Amino acid sequence: MNQALALAPPAGLAQRALALVYETLLLIAVLFAGAMPFLMLLQDVDPPLARLLLQLYLLMLCGVYYIWQWLRGGQTLPMKTWRVKLITRDGGPLTMRHGLYRYLFALAGLALFGAGFLWALIDRDKQFLHDRLAGTRIVAVSGKQ
C-alpha cells in the first residue's frame, strides 16, 4: 500500500470530466484502428452476425485497453494528463479482479443512461458508482506520481 496515495484527496469532478472527454477522443482512435482488421475478416459474414461480432469485439477491445492501462500504473494517458490515478480503496495498485469489475460495472452504469457516472454527484466522496462497487477510487496526484 502506498501511504501517500491512500491519503490522496479524491479527484475533482471537473478534472475527471475533462479526462473523460479526452478519454473518449483517444478511445475513438483505438476502436477505429482496432476495427479495421476485424472488418476485413468479416467481409463474407452475414451482416447481422457481422454487426453483433463487431460490437462484442469492440467491447472486448475497450476492456483490454482500459484494464491493461489501469494495471500498468493506474492511469491511462488522459488520466496522466489530468493528474488523476486509479487505486484500490486502501491505496494499493489494482489487481485484475479490480480492473475487470470496474470495467463491467462501468459498462452497466453506462447502459443505464450514465447512472454510474451521475452517481458521483450524490456520492459523499464524489466517486463513480463503478468505483464504489469495484473497490477502487480515483484520486488527484501531483505531477511526480
Side-chain angles (χ1 to χ4, degrees):
M1 175 178 75
N2 183 327
Q3 190 64 24
L5 282 178
L7 300 174
L13 288 177
Q15 204 175 10
R16 284 185 283 154
L18 290 168
L20 281 172
V21 169
Y22 184 2
E23 199 76 71
T24 301
L25 296 173
L26 188 59
L27 188 60
I28 288 169
V30 168
L31 294 178
F32 184 76
M36 296 308 285
F38 195 80
L39 289 172
M40 294 168 82
L41 291 172
L42 292 178
Q43 288 180 15
D44 298 326
V45 176
D46 185 43
L49 178 59
R51 180 180 176 169
L52 174 64
L53 291 174
L54 178 63
Q55 290 171 342
L56 292 173
Y57 169 75
L58 292 177
L59 283 174
M60 186 218 42
L61 185 60
C62 286
V64 168
Y65 165 75
Y66 281 120
I67 294 168
W68 179 61
Q69 293 292 317
W70 296 334
L71 292 177
R72 288 185 62 236
Q75 295 173 298
T76 61
L77 178 60
M79 293 171 85
K80 288 177 186 176
T81 301
W82 290 100
R83 294 186 176 145
V84 297
K85 187 170 186 165
L86 185 62
I87 59 173
T88 61
R89 196 173 287 138
D90 64 1
L94 266 64
T95 64
M96 179 62 85
R97 183 183 65 83
H98 288 110
L100 185 60
Y101 283 179
R102 184 175 196 269
Y103 178 70
L104 293 174
F105 289 139
L107 273 182
L110 201 55
L112 293 170
F113 308 103
F117 291 93
L118 294 173
W119 175 266
L121 297 173
I122 61 169
D123 186 86
R124 72 179 177 271
D125 297 321
K126 305 296 183 211
Q127 294 294 312
F128 297 131
L129 181 58
H130 47 272
D131 286 312
R132 284 273 177 223
L133 296 174
T136 59
R137 297 186 310 132
I138 297 179
V139 296
V141 294
S142 69
K144 297 176 185 176
Q145 293 287 328

